[in-house]
Amino acid sequence: MFIIDYILNLGASVMMPLIFILLGLALRLSLTKAIKAGLMVGIGFIGLSITVNLMIDSLTPVSHAIVERFGLNLTVLDVGWPAAAAVAMGTRVGALVIPVCVALNVLMLYTKTTRVLNVDIWNLWHHAFTGSLVAIITDSLWLGVLAAGLNCIITMVIADRTSGDVEKYLNLPSISVPHGFSASFVPAAWLVNFIVDRIPVVRDIKIDTESIQKNLSILGDPASLGAIIGAILALIAGVDLKAVLQTAITMAAVMTIIPRMAKMLMEGVYPISERIQDIAQSRAGSFGKIAIGLDSAVSVGHPVTLSVSMLMIPIMLVLAAIIPGNQFLPFASLTGLPFAFVLVTAVCRGDMFRTLLTGLLTLSLALLIGTSLAPIVTSTAVSTGFSLPQGTTSISSIDYAGAMLPWVIIQSFYFKAAGVSILVALTLLLMVWNRKKLAQENAALQQAEQLADEAGK
C-alpha cells in the first residue's frame, strides 16, 4: 500500500510522463525522444489540469448558488469524484486493482480481444470503486477483485468500439479512451442513436459547431459559446454582475485553452504511438493496429461536450427536484460533468441534440442510481476511515456511483452464484465478439492499405 500510495500521490502530471518515458525506452526510442515525449505529455496534463481546475473553481460557487436558489432538501450528499476515488483506492481492492488491470490489459492484447494499450493508470480507480462496493456487500475480497476485473474488461471493450468515433469526431488518431465514467454513458448514446435514427424528421435534426456557426456565427466560435453559456449559468444562479462577467470570461478561456493543451499532450503521445504501430507491423500484424488508452481529459474541451455539460447543470437540479424517489443532491460532481460526455459526443458524431438527449436519459438515471447505491457507498467510505461531512449520514457521487455500468455489475452480485455466472459469461462473450470485430477491422485496414499501394504504383 505504501508503494502504491506513493506512486498515485505523484499525480497524473508526474506519473504519466514517467510511464511514457519508460514505455518509450522499452520500445527502443532514443533517450532524447523518450524524455521529450514524456515531458510533452506531462506539460499537456499540467495545462489540462490547471484549466479544468479553473473551470471547477469558477463553476463551484455558481453551482452552489443555483442549489440554494432552488431550495432543494435532499438527504444524500454528493461528495464528488475526488472523494469517491480516495475511498476506492483506500480499500484492499484498491491496493490490487493496478496490477490486476495491467495484467488483464496484457492478456487481452495477446489474445487480440483488445487493441488498447491503457496507460491511464490513475483512472483504474473506477474499477476499484466497483470492486470495493462488491467486497462490502459480499464480504469477500476476491469477489471484489473479480468485479473490478470485469468492470475493467467491459470498459476496454467499449473503448475499442468507440475508438473509430474518437478518431473521426474528436480528431484523436490512434487514441482510445478507456475511462470508466466516460465509457459508462456509451450504451445509452448507442440506444439514443438507434431510436432517433428511426424517427422521421427528428433524425434529421443536427446541431453541431458547423451548423451553429452557419446559422449563428457568434455561437460557432468556442470562446463565444463558452462566454454565453457561462453568463447564462451565472444569471440563473442570481449572482451579481461582477460574478456573471467573471464566469463568462472564464468559460470562454476554458473552451479555448483546453483543446490547445490537449494538442500539446498529443505531441508527446504520437512518437510512442507511431513506434508501437511500427513494431506491430514488423511482427506481421500480430497485434494489429494498437491504440493508446488515455484519460478522457484529452478531449474534455470539445465545444459540444462542454456546452452540453454546462447546460445540464441547471437541468440536473430541476430533475433532482421532480424525479420521484430521488434523494440525491447533485453538487460536487456537477463541475465534473464534461468527463461524462467525452465519448457520448464522439458516438453521437458531434451532434449536440443527440448528446443532450443522452444526457437527459443518463443523468436522470444517475440520480436514482446514486440514491440506490448511497448506503453501500457510505458503508465503504466509513470502513476506509473517510470522515462524513458534519450533519451528513449518507453520501454518494455521480462519478462513479451514478453510472449504469458499476450499478449493473453490483446488482449481479446480489444474485450470488447465478448472477455472477451470467455476468462472467456475458463478459467473455463480449471479449470474443470484440476479437471478431477487431479482426474484421484489421483485415479491412490491410485491404485499404494494399489498394492504396497498388494505386500509388
Side-chain angles (χ1 to χ4, degrees):
M1 281 302 299
F2 174 79
I3 294 171
I4 291 171
D5 284 344
Y6 183 83
I7 293 171
L8 291 177
N9 287 336
L10 291 174
S13 59
V14 174
M15 191 165 66
M16 293 304 288
L18 289 177
I19 290 172
F20 272 87
I21 290 171
L22 293 174
L23 185 58
L25 294 174
L27 295 170
R28 297 184 180 179
L29 280 179
S30 68
L31 180 62
T32 302
K33 287 185 178 180
I35 291 176
K36 185 177 179 181
L39 288 176
M40 291 304 293
V41 168
I43 292 166
F45 261 104
I46 289 173
L48 285 169
S49 177
I50 291 172
T51 312
V52 170
N53 286 334
L54 175 66
M55 177 183 71
I56 291 172
D57 291 343
S58 179
L59 288 181
T60 296
V62 172
S63 300
H64 194 189
I66 293 175
V67 170
E68 290 182 346
R69 197 171 191 186
F70 274 87
L72 298 179
N73 185 23
L74 303 170
T75 58
V76 179
L77 180 67
D78 178 9
V79 293
W81 74 264
V87 168
M89 298 308 288
T91 66
R92 293 180 298 164
V93 176
L96 296 172
V97 73
I98 291 178
V100 167
C101 289
V102 169
L104 283 172
N105 191 182
V106 172
L107 177 64
M108 291 179 73
L109 283 168
Y110 271 97
T111 56
K112 301 180 183 179
T113 51
T114 189
R115 71 181 188 97
V116 177
L117 176 63
N118 186 15
V119 298
D120 184 21
I121 304 298
W122 162 246
N123 279 304
L124 295 178
W125 76 262
H126 290 103
H127 315 319
F129 184 87
T130 304
S132 298
L133 267 59
V134 168
I136 286 287
I137 65 176
T138 62
D139 194 26
S140 169
L141 168 64
W142 300 113
L143 286 178
V145 172
L146 174 63
L150 294 173
N151 199 152
C152 175
I153 292 170
I154 295 169
T155 300
M156 295 288 284
V157 172
I158 292 174
D160 275 311
R161 293 301 92 224
T162 55
S163 61
D165 293 327
V166 166
E167 178 170 352
K168 185 174 182 180
Y169 298 104
L170 303 184
N171 195 28
L172 296 172
S174 300
I175 296 300
S176 188
V177 181
H179 185 275
F181 187 44
S182 302
S184 292
F185 286 73
V186 168
W190 284 333
L191 177 62
V192 167
N193 276 341
F194 179 83
I195 294 173
V196 170
D197 284 339
R198 282 154 182 78
I199 303 176
V201 182
V202 177
R203 64 188 173 204
D204 297 324
I205 298 174
K206 187 173 183 180
I207 308 173
D208 56 16
T209 51
E210 291 181 5
S211 60
I212 292 173
Q213 193 166 25
K214 182 179 178 181
N215 296 292
L216 298 167
S217 58
I218 189 172
L219 292 178
D221 175 62
S224 302
L225 188 61
I228 291 169
I229 294 178
I232 290 173
L233 278 177
L235 289 170
I236 293 173
V239 297
D240 58 28
L241 179 60
K242 177 182 176 182
V244 171
L245 295 174
Q246 288 177 336
T247 304
I249 296 301
T250 302
M251 290 305 103
V254 165
M255 293 191 73
T256 303
I257 295 172
I258 286 182
R260 297 183 183 184
M261 290 298 102
K263 184 178 179 181
M264 186 174 290
L265 182 147
M266 292 304 299
E267 289 181 24
V269 173
Y270 282 139
I272 304 293
S273 177
E274 290 173 357
R275 180 61 182 152
I276 290 174
Q277 303 305 336
D278 291 341
I279 292 174
Q281 289 178 359
S282 68
R283 296 187 179 184
S286 57
F287 293 107
K289 185 181 179 184
I290 301 295
I292 303 293
L294 294 178
D295 189 334
S296 55
V298 295
S299 191
V300 79
H302 191 285
V304 170
T305 299
L306 281 180
S307 299
V308 171
S309 302
M310 287 189 278
L311 288 172
M312 283 305 302
I313 291 176
I315 292 173
M316 196 168 185
L317 292 169
V318 172
L319 292 173
I322 65 175
I323 291 179
N326 174 59
Q327 286 299 313
F328 184 85
L329 175 62
F331 173 56
S333 296
L334 291 175
T335 50
L337 289 182
F339 294 92
F341 293 104
V342 168
L343 288 178
V344 173
T345 297
V347 171
C348 292
R349 302 183 287 275
D351 180 30
M352 189 180 294
F353 173 67
R354 296 186 185 212
T355 303
L356 186 59
L357 286 180
T358 304
L360 291 170
L361 171 62
T362 52
L363 294 180
S364 296
L365 291 173
L367 294 170
L368 296 176
I369 292 171
T371 300
S372 170
L373 293 181
I376 316 170
V377 174
T378 306
S379 298
T380 307
V382 171
S383 71
T384 62
F386 182 83
S387 298
L388 298 181
Q390 188 174 4
T392 301
T393 58
S394 188
I395 62 172
S396 195
S397 173
I398 296 173
D399 180 6
Y400 188 47
M404 180 65 74
L405 177 56
W407 183 82
V408 170
I409 293 173
I410 291 165
Q411 297 308 308
S412 299
F413 280 82
Y414 277 114
F415 292 94
K416 299 184 178 179
V420 175
S421 298
I422 291 172
L423 180 62
V424 170
L426 289 174
T427 304
L428 292 174
L429 285 173
L430 271 178
M431 292 173 69
V432 173
W433 172 73
N434 193 45
R435 187 180 192 276
K436 183 178 179 182
K437 297 290 288 184
L438 290 172
Q440 292 172 348
E441 290 164 1
N442 195 34
L445 179 63
Q446 290 177 346
Q447 185 178 9
E449 289 175 350
Q450 186 178 358
L451 290 173
D453 289 340
E454 290 176 355
K457 292 176 182 178

